Short mmCIF file of all heavy atoms in Angstrom, two decimals:
data_model
loop_
_atom_site.label_atom_id
_atom_site.label_comp_id
_atom_site.label_asym_id
_atom_site.label_seq_id
_atom_site.Cartn_x
_atom_site.Cartn_y
_atom_site.Cartn_z
N MET V 1 112.05 82.75 116.60
CA MET V 1 111.76 84.02 117.23
C MET V 1 110.28 84.37 117.04
O MET V 1 109.66 84.90 117.96
CB MET V 1 112.64 85.12 116.63
CG MET V 1 112.44 86.43 117.33
SD MET V 1 113.36 87.85 116.75
CE MET V 1 114.95 87.23 116.43
N ARG V 2 109.76 84.06 115.88
CA ARG V 2 108.34 84.33 115.59
C ARG V 2 107.45 83.67 116.64
O ARG V 2 106.55 84.30 117.19
CB ARG V 2 108.06 83.77 114.19
CG ARG V 2 106.69 83.96 113.68
CD ARG V 2 106.64 83.42 112.22
NE ARG V 2 105.40 83.72 111.60
CZ ARG V 2 104.38 82.88 111.51
NH1 ARG V 2 104.48 81.66 112.00
NH2 ARG V 2 103.28 83.24 110.92
N GLU V 3 107.73 82.41 116.94
CA GLU V 3 106.95 81.68 117.93
C GLU V 3 107.08 82.31 119.32
O GLU V 3 106.10 82.37 120.08
CB GLU V 3 107.44 80.24 117.93
CG GLU V 3 106.47 79.15 118.20
CD GLU V 3 105.10 79.24 117.60
OE1 GLU V 3 104.94 79.43 116.39
OE2 GLU V 3 104.16 79.08 118.38
N ARG V 4 108.28 82.78 119.67
CA ARG V 4 108.47 83.44 120.98
C ARG V 4 107.64 84.71 121.07
O ARG V 4 107.07 85.02 122.12
CB ARG V 4 109.95 83.78 121.19
CG ARG V 4 110.78 82.60 121.61
CD ARG V 4 112.13 83.02 122.19
NE ARG V 4 112.90 83.92 121.36
CZ ARG V 4 113.84 83.56 120.50
NH1 ARG V 4 114.13 82.27 120.33
NH2 ARG V 4 114.51 84.45 119.82
N VAL V 5 107.58 85.47 119.99
CA VAL V 5 106.79 86.71 119.99
C VAL V 5 105.31 86.39 120.13
O VAL V 5 104.60 87.03 120.92
CB VAL V 5 107.08 87.54 118.71
CG1 VAL V 5 106.13 88.73 118.61
CG2 VAL V 5 108.53 88.03 118.72
N PHE V 6 104.82 85.39 119.39
CA PHE V 6 103.42 84.99 119.51
C PHE V 6 103.10 84.57 120.94
O PHE V 6 102.07 84.97 121.51
CB PHE V 6 103.08 83.84 118.57
CG PHE V 6 103.11 84.18 117.10
CD1 PHE V 6 103.12 83.17 116.16
CD2 PHE V 6 103.11 85.50 116.65
CE1 PHE V 6 103.13 83.45 114.81
CE2 PHE V 6 103.12 85.80 115.30
CZ PHE V 6 103.13 84.77 114.37
N THR V 7 103.97 83.78 121.54
CA THR V 7 103.76 83.33 122.92
C THR V 7 103.79 84.52 123.88
O THR V 7 102.93 84.64 124.75
CB THR V 7 104.82 82.28 123.30
OG1 THR V 7 104.72 81.18 122.40
CG2 THR V 7 104.63 81.79 124.72
N ARG V 8 104.78 85.39 123.73
CA ARG V 8 104.88 86.57 124.59
C ARG V 8 103.60 87.40 124.53
O ARG V 8 103.10 87.90 125.54
CB ARG V 8 106.08 87.42 124.14
CG ARG V 8 106.26 88.71 124.93
CD ARG V 8 107.13 89.71 124.23
NE ARG V 8 106.46 90.25 123.06
CZ ARG V 8 107.08 90.85 122.05
NH1 ARG V 8 108.39 90.98 122.05
NH2 ARG V 8 106.40 91.32 121.03
N ASP V 9 103.06 87.55 123.31
CA ASP V 9 101.85 88.36 123.11
C ASP V 9 100.56 87.57 123.30
O ASP V 9 99.47 88.06 123.00
CB ASP V 9 101.88 88.98 121.71
CG ASP V 9 102.98 90.01 121.53
OD1 ASP V 9 103.53 90.49 122.56
OD2 ASP V 9 103.30 90.35 120.38
N LEU V 10 100.70 86.33 123.80
CA LEU V 10 99.56 85.47 124.10
C LEU V 10 98.65 85.25 122.88
O LEU V 10 97.43 85.18 123.00
CB LEU V 10 98.76 86.01 125.29
CG LEU V 10 99.56 86.21 126.58
CD1 LEU V 10 98.70 86.88 127.64
CD2 LEU V 10 100.12 84.89 127.07
N PHE V 11 99.28 85.19 121.69
CA PHE V 11 98.58 84.94 120.43
C PHE V 11 97.47 85.95 120.17
O PHE V 11 96.49 85.64 119.49
CB PHE V 11 98.05 83.50 120.38
CG PHE V 11 99.15 82.48 120.49
CD1 PHE V 11 99.55 82.01 121.73
CD2 PHE V 11 99.80 82.04 119.37
CE1 PHE V 11 100.59 81.09 121.84
CE2 PHE V 11 100.84 81.12 119.46
CZ PHE V 11 101.23 80.66 120.70
N GLY V 12 97.65 87.15 120.70
CA GLY V 12 96.65 88.21 120.52
C GLY V 12 97.17 89.33 119.65
O GLY V 12 98.33 89.73 119.75
N CYS V 13 96.31 89.83 118.78
CA CYS V 13 96.65 90.96 117.93
C CYS V 13 96.91 92.18 118.82
O CYS V 13 96.11 92.51 119.70
CB CYS V 13 95.51 91.23 116.96
SG CYS V 13 95.84 92.62 115.84
N GLN V 14 98.02 92.85 118.57
CA GLN V 14 98.42 93.98 119.40
C GLN V 14 97.88 95.32 118.92
O GLN V 14 98.15 96.36 119.52
CB GLN V 14 99.96 94.05 119.48
CG GLN V 14 100.59 92.80 120.09
CD GLN V 14 100.07 92.54 121.49
OE1 GLN V 14 100.28 93.34 122.40
NE2 GLN V 14 99.38 91.42 121.67
N MET V 15 97.09 95.30 117.85
CA MET V 15 96.44 96.54 117.40
C MET V 15 95.39 96.91 118.44
O MET V 15 94.53 96.08 118.78
CB MET V 15 95.77 96.36 116.04
CG MET V 15 96.73 96.42 114.89
SD MET V 15 97.41 98.06 114.68
CE MET V 15 97.02 98.32 113.00
N PRO V 16 95.45 98.14 118.95
CA PRO V 16 94.52 98.54 120.02
C PRO V 16 93.04 98.34 119.66
O PRO V 16 92.25 97.95 120.51
CB PRO V 16 94.84 100.02 120.23
CG PRO V 16 96.24 100.16 119.75
CD PRO V 16 96.40 99.19 118.63
N ALA V 17 92.69 98.57 118.43
CA ALA V 17 91.28 98.46 118.04
C ALA V 17 90.84 97.02 117.82
O ALA V 17 89.66 96.75 117.64
CB ALA V 17 91.03 99.26 116.76
N CYS V 18 91.78 96.08 117.86
CA CYS V 18 91.45 94.68 117.56
C CYS V 18 91.55 93.81 118.81
O CYS V 18 90.54 93.51 119.44
CB CYS V 18 92.37 94.15 116.46
SG CYS V 18 92.00 92.45 115.96
N GLY V 19 92.76 93.36 119.12
CA GLY V 19 92.97 92.54 120.31
C GLY V 19 92.50 91.10 120.22
O GLY V 19 92.48 90.39 121.22
N LYS V 20 92.13 90.64 119.01
CA LYS V 20 91.65 89.27 118.87
C LYS V 20 92.74 88.27 119.22
O LYS V 20 93.90 88.46 118.89
CB LYS V 20 91.21 89.00 117.43
CG LYS V 20 89.97 89.71 117.04
CD LYS V 20 89.63 89.38 115.59
CE LYS V 20 88.47 90.24 115.13
NZ LYS V 20 88.32 90.19 113.68
N VAL V 21 92.34 87.19 119.88
CA VAL V 21 93.24 86.07 120.17
C VAL V 21 92.95 85.02 119.10
O VAL V 21 91.80 84.62 118.90
CB VAL V 21 93.00 85.50 121.58
CG1 VAL V 21 93.84 84.26 121.81
CG2 VAL V 21 93.30 86.57 122.63
N ILE V 22 94.02 84.59 118.41
CA ILE V 22 93.86 83.69 117.28
C ILE V 22 94.77 82.47 117.48
O ILE V 22 95.98 82.62 117.62
CB ILE V 22 94.20 84.41 115.96
CG1 ILE V 22 93.26 85.60 115.79
CG2 ILE V 22 94.14 83.46 114.78
CD1 ILE V 22 93.56 86.48 114.62
N SER V 23 94.19 81.30 117.47
CA SER V 23 94.98 80.08 117.67
C SER V 23 95.63 79.58 116.38
O SER V 23 96.63 78.88 116.43
CB SER V 23 94.12 78.98 118.28
OG SER V 23 93.03 78.69 117.43
N ASN V 24 95.08 79.94 115.23
CA ASN V 24 95.64 79.52 113.95
C ASN V 24 96.83 80.42 113.61
O ASN V 24 96.67 81.55 113.18
CB ASN V 24 94.57 79.61 112.85
CG ASN V 24 95.07 79.14 111.51
OD1 ASN V 24 96.26 78.93 111.30
ND2 ASN V 24 94.14 79.00 110.57
N ARG V 25 98.04 79.89 113.79
CA ARG V 25 99.26 80.69 113.58
C ARG V 25 99.39 81.20 112.15
O ARG V 25 100.07 82.18 111.92
CB ARG V 25 100.49 79.87 113.95
CG ARG V 25 100.65 79.69 115.44
CD ARG V 25 101.66 78.58 115.73
NE ARG V 25 101.94 78.39 117.13
CZ ARG V 25 101.15 77.81 117.99
NH1 ARG V 25 99.96 77.38 117.61
NH2 ARG V 25 101.51 77.65 119.24
N ARG V 26 98.73 80.54 111.20
CA ARG V 26 98.80 81.01 109.82
C ARG V 26 98.03 82.32 109.63
O ARG V 26 98.20 82.99 108.62
CB ARG V 26 98.27 79.94 108.88
CG ARG V 26 99.22 78.75 108.87
CD ARG V 26 98.84 77.60 108.00
NE ARG V 26 97.65 77.74 107.19
CZ ARG V 26 97.11 76.77 106.50
NH1 ARG V 26 97.67 75.58 106.53
NH2 ARG V 26 96.04 76.95 105.79
N GLN V 27 97.22 82.68 110.61
CA GLN V 27 96.48 83.94 110.55
C GLN V 27 97.14 85.03 111.38
O GLN V 27 96.56 86.09 111.60
CB GLN V 27 95.04 83.72 111.03
CG GLN V 27 94.23 82.87 110.09
CD GLN V 27 94.12 83.50 108.70
OE1 GLN V 27 93.81 84.68 108.57
NE2 GLN V 27 94.39 82.72 107.67
N LEU V 28 98.37 84.76 111.86
CA LEU V 28 99.12 85.74 112.64
C LEU V 28 100.36 86.18 111.87
O LEU V 28 100.93 85.43 111.10
CB LEU V 28 99.55 85.14 113.98
CG LEU V 28 98.45 84.79 114.96
CD1 LEU V 28 99.03 84.06 116.16
CD2 LEU V 28 97.69 86.02 115.38
N VAL V 29 100.77 87.41 112.11
CA VAL V 29 101.96 87.97 111.49
C VAL V 29 102.87 88.50 112.59
O VAL V 29 102.40 89.18 113.51
CB VAL V 29 101.60 89.13 110.52
CG1 VAL V 29 102.83 89.77 109.94
CG2 VAL V 29 100.66 88.63 109.43
N CYS V 30 104.15 88.19 112.51
CA CYS V 30 105.14 88.76 113.41
C CYS V 30 105.64 90.04 112.73
O CYS V 30 106.38 90.00 111.76
CB CYS V 30 106.28 87.76 113.63
SG CYS V 30 107.40 88.27 114.92
N ASP V 31 105.18 91.17 113.23
CA ASP V 31 105.34 92.46 112.57
C ASP V 31 106.40 93.32 113.25
O ASP V 31 106.49 93.34 114.47
CB ASP V 31 103.99 93.19 112.61
CG ASP V 31 104.07 94.60 112.08
OD1 ASP V 31 104.29 94.77 110.87
OD2 ASP V 31 103.94 95.54 112.89
N HIS V 32 107.17 94.04 112.45
CA HIS V 32 108.12 95.02 112.99
C HIS V 32 107.37 96.30 113.34
O HIS V 32 106.70 96.87 112.48
CB HIS V 32 109.22 95.32 111.98
CG HIS V 32 110.15 94.17 111.78
ND1 HIS V 32 109.92 93.19 110.82
CD2 HIS V 32 111.28 93.81 112.43
CE1 HIS V 32 110.88 92.31 110.89
NE2 HIS V 32 111.72 92.64 111.86
N VAL V 33 107.48 96.73 114.57
CA VAL V 33 106.82 97.97 115.01
C VAL V 33 107.41 99.14 114.22
O VAL V 33 106.68 99.92 113.62
CB VAL V 33 107.00 98.18 116.54
CG1 VAL V 33 106.39 99.50 116.97
CG2 VAL V 33 106.41 97.01 117.31
N ARG V 34 108.72 99.25 114.25
CA ARG V 34 109.43 100.24 113.43
C ARG V 34 110.03 99.50 112.25
O ARG V 34 110.74 98.52 112.44
CB ARG V 34 110.54 100.92 114.24
CG ARG V 34 110.02 101.86 115.30
CD ARG V 34 111.12 102.56 116.10
NE ARG V 34 112.33 102.81 115.37
CZ ARG V 34 113.57 102.61 115.85
NH1 ARG V 34 113.73 102.14 117.08
NH2 ARG V 34 114.62 102.87 115.13
N PRO V 35 109.78 99.95 111.03
CA PRO V 35 110.35 99.27 109.86
C PRO V 35 111.87 99.18 109.97
O PRO V 35 112.54 100.14 110.35
CB PRO V 35 109.95 100.16 108.69
CG PRO V 35 108.78 100.95 109.17
CD PRO V 35 108.99 101.13 110.64
N HIS V 36 112.42 98.00 109.67
CA HIS V 36 113.86 97.79 109.83
C HIS V 36 114.67 98.34 108.66
O HIS V 36 115.84 98.66 108.82
CB HIS V 36 114.17 96.30 110.03
CG HIS V 36 113.73 95.43 108.92
ND1 HIS V 36 114.46 95.25 107.77
CD2 HIS V 36 112.60 94.69 108.76
CE1 HIS V 36 113.83 94.43 106.96
NE2 HIS V 36 112.68 94.08 107.55
N ARG V 37 114.08 98.45 107.50
CA ARG V 37 114.74 99.00 106.31
C ARG V 37 116.16 98.46 106.12
O ARG V 37 117.10 99.19 105.83
CB ARG V 37 114.76 100.51 106.34
CG ARG V 37 113.38 101.14 106.49
CD ARG V 37 113.26 102.45 105.78
NE ARG V 37 112.11 103.25 106.09
CZ ARG V 37 110.84 102.93 106.01
NH1 ARG V 37 110.50 101.72 105.67
NH2 ARG V 37 109.88 103.77 106.28
N GLY V 38 116.31 97.15 106.34
CA GLY V 38 117.58 96.49 106.13
C GLY V 38 118.56 96.54 107.30
O GLY V 38 119.64 95.97 107.23
N ASP V 39 118.19 97.19 108.38
CA ASP V 39 119.05 97.27 109.57
C ASP V 39 118.94 95.96 110.34
O ASP V 39 117.89 95.67 110.93
CB ASP V 39 118.62 98.45 110.44
CG ASP V 39 119.40 98.58 111.73
OD1 ASP V 39 120.19 97.68 112.07
OD2 ASP V 39 119.22 99.60 112.41
N PRO V 40 120.01 95.13 110.35
CA PRO V 40 119.90 93.83 111.02
C PRO V 40 119.63 93.93 112.51
O PRO V 40 118.92 93.08 113.07
CB PRO V 40 121.25 93.16 110.76
CG PRO V 40 122.11 94.14 110.06
CD PRO V 40 121.29 95.35 109.73
N ALA V 41 120.14 94.95 113.18
CA ALA V 41 119.90 95.09 114.63
C ALA V 41 118.41 95.31 114.89
O ALA V 41 117.84 94.71 115.81
CB ALA V 41 120.72 96.24 115.20
N LEU V 42 117.79 96.14 114.09
CA LEU V 42 116.36 96.41 114.24
C LEU V 42 115.52 95.21 113.79
O LEU V 42 114.50 94.89 114.40
CB LEU V 42 115.98 97.65 113.43
CG LEU V 42 114.76 98.43 113.82
CD1 LEU V 42 114.75 98.78 115.30
CD2 LEU V 42 114.65 99.69 112.98
N PHE V 43 115.99 94.51 112.76
CA PHE V 43 115.28 93.34 112.26
C PHE V 43 115.20 92.25 113.33
O PHE V 43 114.15 91.63 113.51
CB PHE V 43 115.99 92.79 111.02
CG PHE V 43 115.29 91.61 110.40
CD1 PHE V 43 114.29 91.81 109.46
CD2 PHE V 43 115.62 90.32 110.76
CE1 PHE V 43 113.63 90.72 108.90
CE2 PHE V 43 114.97 89.23 110.20
CZ PHE V 43 113.97 89.43 109.26
N TRP V 44 116.29 91.98 114.04
CA TRP V 44 116.35 90.89 115.01
C TRP V 44 116.00 91.30 116.44
O TRP V 44 116.03 90.48 117.35
CB TRP V 44 117.74 90.24 115.00
CG TRP V 44 118.01 89.57 113.70
CD1 TRP V 44 118.87 89.99 112.73
CD2 TRP V 44 117.41 88.37 113.20
NE1 TRP V 44 118.83 89.13 111.66
CE2 TRP V 44 117.95 88.12 111.93
CE3 TRP V 44 116.47 87.49 113.72
CZ2 TRP V 44 117.57 87.02 111.16
CZ3 TRP V 44 116.09 86.40 112.94
CH2 TRP V 44 116.65 86.17 111.68
N ASP V 45 115.63 92.55 116.66
CA ASP V 45 115.28 93.05 118.00
C ASP V 45 113.86 92.60 118.37
O ASP V 45 112.89 93.09 117.81
CB ASP V 45 115.38 94.58 118.01
CG ASP V 45 114.99 95.20 119.32
OD1 ASP V 45 114.76 94.46 120.31
OD2 ASP V 45 114.92 96.44 119.38
N GLU V 46 113.77 91.66 119.31
CA GLU V 46 112.45 91.16 119.71
C GLU V 46 111.57 92.25 120.29
O GLU V 46 110.35 92.17 120.21
CB GLU V 46 112.57 90.02 120.72
CG GLU V 46 112.82 88.69 120.06
CD GLU V 46 112.73 87.53 121.03
OE1 GLU V 46 111.74 87.43 121.78
OE2 GLU V 46 113.67 86.71 121.00
N GLY V 47 112.18 93.28 120.86
CA GLY V 47 111.41 94.40 121.39
C GLY V 47 110.76 95.23 120.29
O GLY V 47 109.88 96.05 120.56
N ASN V 48 111.19 95.03 119.06
CA ASN V 48 110.63 95.74 117.92
C ASN V 48 109.61 94.87 117.17
O ASN V 48 109.16 95.24 116.09
CB ASN V 48 111.76 96.18 116.96
CG ASN V 48 111.26 97.05 115.84
OD1 ASN V 48 110.45 97.94 116.04
ND2 ASN V 48 111.73 96.79 114.64
N LEU V 49 109.26 93.74 117.73
CA LEU V 49 108.31 92.84 117.08
C LEU V 49 107.02 92.77 117.87
O LEU V 49 107.02 92.88 119.09
CB LEU V 49 108.92 91.44 116.95
CG LEU V 49 110.14 91.33 116.06
CD1 LEU V 49 110.76 89.94 116.18
CD2 LEU V 49 109.80 91.64 114.62
N GLN V 50 105.94 92.59 117.14
CA GLN V 50 104.62 92.46 117.76
C GLN V 50 103.80 91.47 116.95
O GLN V 50 104.05 91.25 115.77
CB GLN V 50 103.90 93.80 117.82
CG GLN V 50 103.56 94.38 116.46
CD GLN V 50 102.88 95.72 116.53
OE1 GLN V 50 102.45 96.16 117.59
NE2 GLN V 50 102.79 96.40 115.40
N THR V 51 102.81 90.90 117.60
CA THR V 51 101.88 89.99 116.93
C THR V 51 100.70 90.80 116.41
O THR V 51 100.11 91.58 117.14
CB THR V 51 101.36 88.93 117.93
OG1 THR V 51 102.47 88.20 118.44
CG2 THR V 51 100.37 87.99 117.28
N LEU V 52 100.40 90.60 115.12
CA LEU V 52 99.21 91.19 114.52
C LEU V 52 98.43 90.09 113.81
O LEU V 52 99.03 89.15 113.28
CB LEU V 52 99.57 92.26 113.49
CG LEU V 52 100.27 93.51 113.97
CD1 LEU V 52 100.54 94.45 112.80
CD2 LEU V 52 99.49 94.23 115.05
N CYS V 53 97.11 90.22 113.80
CA CYS V 53 96.33 89.31 112.98
C CYS V 53 96.54 89.74 111.52
O CYS V 53 96.87 90.90 111.25
CB CYS V 53 94.86 89.30 113.37
SG CYS V 53 93.96 90.82 113.06
N LYS V 54 96.38 88.80 110.61
CA LYS V 54 96.64 89.09 109.20
C LYS V 54 95.77 90.24 108.68
O LYS V 54 96.29 91.12 107.98
CB LYS V 54 96.45 87.83 108.37
CG LYS V 54 96.95 87.98 106.96
CD LYS V 54 97.42 86.67 106.41
CE LYS V 54 97.83 86.76 104.97
NZ LYS V 54 98.67 87.86 104.61
N PRO V 55 94.47 90.32 109.01
CA PRO V 55 93.68 91.45 108.52
C PRO V 55 94.20 92.81 109.00
O PRO V 55 94.25 93.77 108.22
CB PRO V 55 92.27 91.17 109.05
CG PRO V 55 92.23 89.69 109.23
CD PRO V 55 93.62 89.31 109.67
N CYS V 56 94.62 92.92 110.26
CA CYS V 56 95.16 94.20 110.76
C CYS V 56 96.49 94.52 110.09
O CYS V 56 96.75 95.67 109.72
CB CYS V 56 95.32 94.16 112.28
SG CYS V 56 93.77 94.33 113.17
N HIS V 57 97.34 93.51 109.94
CA HIS V 57 98.64 93.73 109.30
C HIS V 57 98.47 94.17 107.85
O HIS V 57 99.09 95.14 107.41
CB HIS V 57 99.51 92.48 109.35
CG HIS V 57 100.81 92.64 108.65
ND1 HIS V 57 100.97 92.28 107.34
CD2 HIS V 57 101.99 93.15 109.07
CE1 HIS V 57 102.20 92.56 106.97
NE2 HIS V 57 102.84 93.08 108.01
N ASP V 58 97.62 93.46 107.12
CA ASP V 58 97.46 93.75 105.69
C ASP V 58 96.62 94.99 105.43
O ASP V 58 96.68 95.54 104.34
CB ASP V 58 96.84 92.54 104.98
CG ASP V 58 97.76 91.33 104.99
OD1 ASP V 58 98.94 91.46 105.39
OD2 ASP V 58 97.30 90.24 104.61
N GLY V 59 95.86 95.41 106.41
CA GLY V 59 95.00 96.58 106.23
C GLY V 59 95.53 97.82 106.94
O GLY V 59 96.27 98.61 106.37
N ALA V 60 95.18 97.96 108.20
CA ALA V 60 95.49 99.17 108.96
C ALA V 60 96.99 99.45 109.06
O ALA V 60 97.43 100.59 108.87
CB ALA V 60 94.88 99.09 110.36
N LYS V 61 97.79 98.43 109.35
CA LYS V 61 99.23 98.64 109.52
C LYS V 61 99.89 99.06 108.22
O LYS V 61 100.69 99.99 108.18
CB LYS V 61 99.87 97.36 110.08
CG LYS V 61 101.39 97.44 110.22
CD LYS V 61 101.79 98.36 111.36
CE LYS V 61 103.24 98.67 111.42
NZ LYS V 61 104.20 97.82 111.92
N GLN V 62 99.57 98.39 107.12
CA GLN V 62 100.17 98.73 105.84
C GLN V 62 99.73 100.12 105.38
O GLN V 62 100.53 100.88 104.84
CB GLN V 62 99.81 97.67 104.78
CG GLN V 62 100.39 96.31 105.07
CD GLN V 62 101.91 96.32 105.10
OE1 GLN V 62 102.56 96.90 104.24
NE2 GLN V 62 102.48 95.71 106.13
N SER V 63 98.49 100.47 105.62
CA SER V 63 98.00 101.82 105.27
C SER V 63 98.75 102.88 106.06
O SER V 63 99.15 103.92 105.50
CB SER V 63 96.50 101.95 105.56
OG SER V 63 95.76 101.13 104.69
N ALA V 64 98.94 102.65 107.35
CA ALA V 64 99.67 103.61 108.19
C ALA V 64 101.11 103.77 107.72
O ALA V 64 101.65 104.89 107.68
CB ALA V 64 99.64 103.16 109.65
N GLU V 65 101.76 102.67 107.33
CA GLU V 65 103.13 102.75 106.85
C GLU V 65 103.21 103.50 105.53
O GLU V 65 104.15 104.27 105.30
CB GLU V 65 103.74 101.36 106.73
CG GLU V 65 104.09 100.77 108.06
CD GLU V 65 104.82 99.43 107.97
OE1 GLU V 65 105.07 98.95 106.84
OE2 GLU V 65 105.11 98.87 109.03
N ARG V 66 102.23 103.29 104.65
CA ARG V 66 102.23 104.02 103.37
C ARG V 66 102.05 105.52 103.60
O ARG V 66 102.68 106.34 102.94
CB ARG V 66 101.15 103.48 102.45
CG ARG V 66 101.54 102.20 101.75
CD ARG V 66 100.58 101.85 100.62
NE ARG V 66 99.24 101.53 101.08
CZ ARG V 66 98.84 100.35 101.50
NH1 ARG V 66 99.68 99.34 101.56
NH2 ARG V 66 97.60 100.15 101.89
N ARG V 67 101.18 105.89 104.55
CA ARG V 67 100.96 107.32 104.85
C ARG V 67 102.21 107.96 105.46
O ARG V 67 102.47 109.13 105.23
CB ARG V 67 99.79 107.48 105.80
CG ARG V 67 98.43 107.32 105.15
CD ARG V 67 97.31 107.77 106.06
NE ARG V 67 97.32 107.15 107.38
CZ ARG V 67 96.71 106.00 107.67
NH1 ARG V 67 96.06 105.34 106.76
NH2 ARG V 67 96.77 105.51 108.90
N ALA V 68 102.99 107.19 106.20
CA ALA V 68 104.17 107.72 106.88
C ALA V 68 105.32 108.00 105.91
O ALA V 68 106.22 108.76 106.22
CB ALA V 68 104.63 106.76 107.97
N ARG V 69 105.30 107.38 104.75
CA ARG V 69 106.39 107.57 103.77
C ARG V 69 106.32 108.89 103.09
O ARG V 69 105.51 109.58 102.86
CB ARG V 69 106.38 106.47 102.72
CG ARG V 69 106.80 105.16 103.30
CD ARG V 69 106.86 104.10 102.22
NE ARG V 69 106.85 102.81 102.86
CZ ARG V 69 106.40 101.72 102.30
NH1 ARG V 69 105.93 101.73 101.09
NH2 ARG V 69 106.42 100.58 102.94
#
């Protein structure tokens, strides 16, 4: 599923401020748009997944999730 999401998103970071296209899959993260919090339906919903580059995922996305809690 991870590979399908990367292909669907054309290997581009979906963060609006970024948008980088990265060919090295090890630098990409298949991220849940809405945290699944153990909900299997949300976890496996491809519509809830997006491609992020590792710096955006580990930085901006994680910060936003911490602020939302």
Side-chain angles (χ1 to χ4, degrees):
M1 185 181 318
R2 181 176 188 262
E3 213 40 52
R4 281 196 309 265
V5 172
F6 292 166
T7 301
R8 178 198 70 199
D9 293 344
L10 304 174
F11 299 90
C13 181
Q14 299 302 296
M15 280 292 234
C18 182
K20 290 179 187 167
V21 175
I22 300 174
S23 59
N24 182 350
R25 287 166 176 75
R26 292 179 4 188
Q27 292 299 312
L28 294 174
V29 176
C30 189
D31 174 69
H32 290 90
V33 177
R34 289 181 31 224
H36 59 83
R37 304 213 193 304
D39 177 352
L42 203 51
F43 183 88
W44 295 108
D45 178 7
E46 277 189 50
N48 186 42
L49 296 172
Q50 64 182 348
T51 301
L52 295 180
C53 67
K54 191 151 175 46
C56 284
H57 177 267
D58 294 351
K61 176 71 190 283
Q62 295 299 314
S63 292
E65 286 185 1
R66 280 193 295 275
R67 284 192 306 271
R69 289 183 197 153

